[in-house]
Amino acid sequence: MRARSAGILLTMGIAAYGDPYVLGQGLHVNDMVNIGGYFSSEFEAKGGEKSVTVDDVAVMAYGEINPMFSYLAELEAVGFYRKNIGNGDERGDQTFHVERFYGDMWLSDAYNIRFGKQLTPIGYWTREPINVLRDTSSNPLYSLLLFPKFLTGIDINGYIPSMEGTKYHLFGQNNSDFDDEYINIPNTHFFGLSIEREISSDFNGGGSIGEYITASNQRTRFLQANGKYDDSRWQVMGEALCAKSEYADRQDGYTLSGYLQGMYRYTPEHAVVGRFEHFNDHHSRYADTIGVVGYSYRPWYPVSIKGEYQWHSMNRENRALFSFSVLF
């Protein structure tokens, strides 16, 4: 009771000195402290099994220390709660881990530094980790299996002075990950360069090159390309990556993967989505071709209700997925 009362008093105190709260924009205390968060819940039907999951619960703090320095800290619990509807089995992990924790030093349009645990600046999908901001609940395999989606290191970024509308990211990590609970590919060596150019108001494209060495001493070099067209009603985006890996047993292998996704917004709140993707790892001999058809309803920008069905060339992977997510 004391802890609950203290929390209520703290919330009242913040509300008294901060700006009025607006859903999706966080709680503004002052320029240095903003507090927000999000959560996502899912219903999945796959192979005769049905489950309900509270998948992501997160809280964030962000702000500007001064005109040259800002920060973001995010704590998240993935797999917060899951219930199998068929047998009633319940499980979950309510432990929060550091998903992002970084600072930005703004020096000029051409030269800025982000340091700490951050999202890898490759393509589009990796930079949209929050369900409520995406157009489908699921992620392409491309964005999960081919390169580290988090970087615990430094990203030097900015606009190239001699090339109008062209932005670069030069990033690197030569140390262990910070809180590796949600790291998809643990590594102590990860370097790369990403370039993105605004070709017109509706179209941009770019690419990346990089190298990483995993904890199991697998060295992978990759080449990636991406493009997006968005005129506010139609959106077409795609990414592709080719990777060559050298394994500890001295075997070589290569992986090819990519996706093409189209979306039509017939009103600001309603949209239909289709995605085709392919993944082929020649070393592990794992290959899958996936078709996704989905529907997105966004009654307000911070609230998203989505449904989709996935067809896999590996039939046992077919599934229906529905999600409800909110940005606070």
Side-chain angles (χ1 to χ4, degrees):
M1 289 295 295
R2 290 181 179 176
R4 182 179 299 178
S5 299
I8 293 173
L9 290 173
L10 177 61
T11 302
M12 292 175 62
I14 291 174
Y17 289 97
D19 292 342
Y21 174 75
V22 178
L23 183 65
Q25 297 183 11
L27 188 63
H28 179 74
V29 181
N30 53 49
D31 289 343
M32 292 193 294
V33 181
N34 297 271
I35 301 172
Y38 58 89
F39 88 91
S40 173
S41 59
E42 295 182 347
F43 169 81
E44 181 182 28
K46 176 181 176 183
E49 182 176 293
K50 299 178 181 179
S51 63
V52 176
T53 305
V54 179
D55 190 46
D56 296 326
V57 179
V59 292
M60 298 183 292
Y62 53 95
E64 291 186 359
I65 304 301
N66 57 51
M68 290 184 58
F69 182 76
S70 62
Y71 73 93
L72 182 144
E74 178 182 352
L75 298 175
E76 182 175 8
V78 174
F80 191 85
Y81 171 80
R82 184 179 189 275
K83 181 174 182 177
N84 186 308
I85 296 176
N87 58 26
D89 177 60
E90 297 182 21
R91 64 177 184 269
D93 185 357
Q94 292 78 45
T95 306
F96 283 80
H97 296 272
V98 178
E99 181 164 57
R100 289 184 286 176
F101 185 41
Y102 62 79
D104 282 307
M105 185 175 295
W106 304 98
L107 302 175
S108 68
D109 288 343
Y111 186 76
N112 304 286
I113 301 174
R114 174 170 291 181
F115 53 92
K117 186 178 180 182
Q118 57 195 276
L119 296 169
T120 300
I122 294 178
Y124 308 116
W125 210 275
T126 309
R127 290 179 285 172
E128 292 188 351
I130 303 176
N131 184 308
V132 68
L133 301 180
R134 299 196 305 259
D135 299 310
T136 61
S137 298
S138 63
N139 297 338
L141 293 178
Y142 154 90
S143 66
L144 300 173
L145 303 178
L146 289 177
F147 54 86
K149 65 179 182 178
F150 289 106
L151 165 76
T152 302
I154 295 177
D155 172 25
I156 301 171
N157 61 86
Y159 285 92
I160 301 176
S162 58
M163 302 175 65
E164 184 178 355
T166 302
K167 191 171 185 178
Y168 74 93
H169 291 267
L170 180 63
F171 55 89
Q173 169 180 338
N174 196 33
N175 47 265
S176 299
D177 290 300
F178 180 70
D179 195 341
D180 60 0
E181 181 68 20
Y182 303 137
I183 301 297
N184 61 325
I185 302 178
N187 70 90
T188 56
H189 173 101
F190 182 27
F191 296 93
L193 171 66
S194 294
I195 302 289
E196 186 172 4
R197 180 174 177 81
E198 298 173 3
I199 299 171
S200 69
S201 60
D202 298 331
F203 181 67
N204 64 69
S208 304
I209 57 173
E211 174 188 85
Y212 62 87
I213 301 175
T214 69
S216 60
N217 205 32
Q218 168 193 329
R219 180 189 294 268
T220 298
R221 298 181 177 93
F222 62 85
L223 177 65
Q224 179 266 356
N226 54 268
K228 178 192 286 187
Y229 172 83
D230 193 336
D231 64 3
S232 76
R233 182 167 287 263
W234 286 95
Q235 182 191 85
V236 179
M237 60 188 292
E239 300 182 62
L241 187 146
C242 176
K244 180 179 179 182
S245 299
E246 302 169 0
Y247 298 89
D249 57 7
R250 297 187 179 181
Q251 292 186 11
D252 292 345
Y254 66 91
T255 305
L256 300 172
S257 184
Y259 73 88
L260 180 65
Q261 177 171 297
M263 179 177 65
Y264 175 66
R265 307 181 186 93
Y266 57 93
T267 71
E269 296 84 14
H270 299 269
V272 291
V273 185
R275 185 171 73 232
F276 175 82
E277 60 176 294
H278 180 69
F279 183 91
N280 192 347
D281 185 336
H282 288 258
H283 182 261
S284 66
R285 298 185 179 180
Y286 172 74
D288 198 2
T289 300
I290 307 168
V292 177
V293 174
Y295 180 83
S296 172
Y297 173 52
R298 195 181 295 274
W300 306 281
Y301 178 76
V303 178
S304 177
I305 302 170
K306 298 188 286 285
E308 66 182 67
Y309 191 84
Q310 303 176 6
W311 291 270
H312 292 247
S313 58
M314 302 172 65
N315 288 331
R316 65 182 183 274
E317 298 295 325
N318 290 356
R319 63 173 179 158
L321 186 64
F322 302 89
S323 70
F324 172 72
S325 52
V326 179
L327 181 68
F328 294 105

